[in-house]
Amino acid sequence: MERLSIVYFIFATGKANGGHYRSLALTAEHMAKYHNVKIIVLGYTYSHIIQDAPVESQFVYFNGLNISSALRKIKACIDGNSILHAFDLYAFFIVRLLRLKLGNKIALTKCGGPNPKGYFPKVRNLVLFSQEDFAYFSVIPRYNSSKLYLIPNRTEDFITDTTKVEEIKNRFNLHTYDKVILRICRISRMYQKSIVQSIHLHQYANDQGCKTALIILGNVQDQGVIDQLKNDLPDSVFFLTEDRYTANAKEVIEVADWVVGTGRGFMEASAKSRVMFAVSMQDDLPMLIGTHNFDQAFAFNFSERIIFEKQHIVDNRIDIIKLFSKAEHEASVKKQSLVWFKEYFSIQGAIEKYGSMYKDLLDDTKDDKDLVLHWFKFIRANLGTWYRELRKLVK
């Protein structure tokens, strides 16, 4: 196997601990077994997830205006033979500029989220995590000459931090409950719907006679959301927001019996053979995932945009009751969850696909107008960050 030089790029701001940072860290770690790999973090903060990854990495401050200085620092450590692969739109802006100067082969990964409603850059090599995105870009004339690669998000098995799990169990007296539900996400308006559905699941299970606790685990990004959510909640709903638990939240998944998951979080919970729920577009309860509806959820990368069949929504409440009324049914669901992890979510399958892709990349085209539009997109998206950074300096 030819050993390639691959440089990954990602843009970071705030705590920089979202799922796509973990996806990149894991992908780079495994690609480094076969190729020369480096990660360059652009933006305002050096993501601790990338720093902690067993791969060479570098931070370059970039705010959209200091283009020359950022390019100068990056060019000092790469050459025209390196493949440049961005894991978000903002990092891809710098990658496009580097291609113009050095002639590199380049690629972009759209890690998830809804289909773009506004500007999305021209790109010849585009990696997509979901069938939803693949179907969308396949019919857009702008990408007729592009290569689209469907490489779903992947994860790997990992070690549970039993000390933290016991801490949480003792802190919330979880041994007094029949079932524990877990939702791991940033506490913000973006994930409010999934949190609300988790609360409804908790309420429904309790109403049906199953004494259930719910843990919402994640960083608080919008205090107004958590204040609103806490109104009139029972004592058996717990918010866990300390960095000790949120920094690597997957380590405590086994504190729960049931997990309401999205994207990468769904896959990580399946690795621990949990009962899995996905957010439903049509109902106030999350959907219990089984063999009958797995494909629908997988097509949308287990996002909050899944549209389930009407009969599945009707049957969902009965299926939930079976979880705690028939022990063998819950055991079967948990077993199937682990099967999905091994068949669909393991990282090794993705590594093989990336290796094939890098050998077959198309040359990107020069489009000055689109590059300017890309820069405007970056500037507009970063106005809020500029304001917050300026306030810090004033203080």
Side-chain angles (χ1 to χ4, degrees), residues 132-147:
E132 173 192 18
D133 276 336
F134 190 84
Y136 172 82
F137 283 98
S138 294
V139 297
I140 302 297
R142 179 178 171 87
Y143 302 99
N144 282 347
S145 61
S146 300
K147 282 193 174 181

Side-chain angles (χ1 to χ4, degrees), residues 22-220:
R22 301 180 190 279
S23 295
L24 171 55
L26 183 64
T27 300
E29 176 186 349
H30 283 266
M31 290 301 297
K33 296 176 182 177
Y34 312 101
H35 305 286
N36 300 322
V37 170
K38 180 174 183 175
I39 303 174
I40 294 179
V41 180
L42 302 167
Y44 301 90
T45 185
Y46 198 166
S47 168
H48 71 89
I49 294 169
I50 304 301
Q51 287 189 71
D52 294 342
V55 177
E56 180 186 357
S57 65
Q58 176 183 350
F59 172 70
V60 176
Y61 178 81
F62 179 60
N63 62 11
L65 298 179
N66 63 327
I67 295 174
S68 295
S69 63
L71 287 175
R72 190 163 53 248
K73 290 178 182 177
I74 298 169
K75 284 167 62 179
C77 61
I78 66 171
D79 59 39
N81 295 319
S82 298
I83 294 168
L84 311 183
H85 187 164
F87 261 61
D88 60 69
L89 296 185
Y90 308 125
F92 188 58
F93 173 70
I94 282 290
V95 165
R96 295 178 78 182
L97 293 177
L98 289 166
R99 191 205 71 80
L100 290 176
K101 293 181 176 295
L102 301 175
N104 305 75
K105 295 286 184 72
I106 64 175
L108 168 65
T109 289
K110 181 183 182 297
C111 289
N115 295 327
K117 294 182 179 179
Y119 171 81
F120 195 87
K122 286 185 177 179
V123 54
R124 298 295 304 283
N125 305 289
L126 179 61
V127 179
L128 303 163
F129 275 4
S130 72
Q131 294 174 24
E132 173 192 18
D133 276 336
F134 190 84
Y136 172 82
F137 283 98
S138 294
V139 297
I140 302 297
R142 179 178 171 87
Y143 302 99
N144 282 347
S145 61
S146 300
K147 282 193 174 181
L148 307 180
Y149 299 88
L150 178 60
I151 308 179
N153 198 1
R154 304 297 177 102
T155 185
E156 65 179 347
D157 200 3
F158 50 90
I159 298 173
T160 294
D161 190 324
T162 54
T163 299
K164 291 180 182 177
V165 168
E166 289 304 314
E167 287 174 4
I168 298 170
K169 286 182 177 180
N170 293 331
R171 176 173 171 177
F172 300 131
N173 294 316
L174 297 182
H175 62 279
T176 64
Y177 294 92
D178 299 325
K179 300 295 177 185
V180 176
I181 304 169
L182 177 66
R183 173 68 181 120
I184 299 174
C185 64
R186 296 187 293 277
I187 301 174
S188 64
R189 299 207 179 278
M190 179 180 295
Y191 295 103
Q192 188 169 0
K193 178 179 180 178
S194 68
I195 297 173
V196 170
Q197 287 199 7
S198 301
I199 293 171
H200 289 162
L201 173 61
H202 163 267
Q203 292 172 336
Y204 179 73
N206 278 285
D207 290 344
Q208 300 304 314
C210 180
K211 187 179 180 183
T212 307
L214 168 63
I215 299 173
I216 309 297
L217 170 57
N219 297 119
V220 179

Side-chain angles (χ1 to χ4, degrees), residues 280 282-283 287 292-293 296 306-317 319:
S280 171
Q282 308 118 293
D283 199 16
M287 177 66 69
H292 62 295
N293 57 17
Q296 286 176 277
I306 308 168
I307 300 175
F308 292 101
E309 294 180 16
K310 291 182 179 179
Q311 189 58 48
H312 292 169
I313 294 173
V314 173
D315 295 340
N316 191 39
R317 284 165 170 75
D319 292 337

Side-chain angles (χ1 to χ4, degrees), residues 280-311:
S280 171
M281 278 281 288
Q282 308 118 293
D283 199 16
D284 59 353
L285 284 178
M287 177 66 69
L288 175 63
I289 300 300
T291 55
H292 62 295
N293 57 17
F294 174 82
D295 289 343
Q296 286 176 277
F298 193 22
F300 286 83
N301 195 35
F302 308 103
S303 70
E304 299 190 2
R305 301 178 302 281
I306 308 168
I307 300 175
F308 292 101
E309 294 180 16
K310 291 182 179 179
Q311 189 58 48

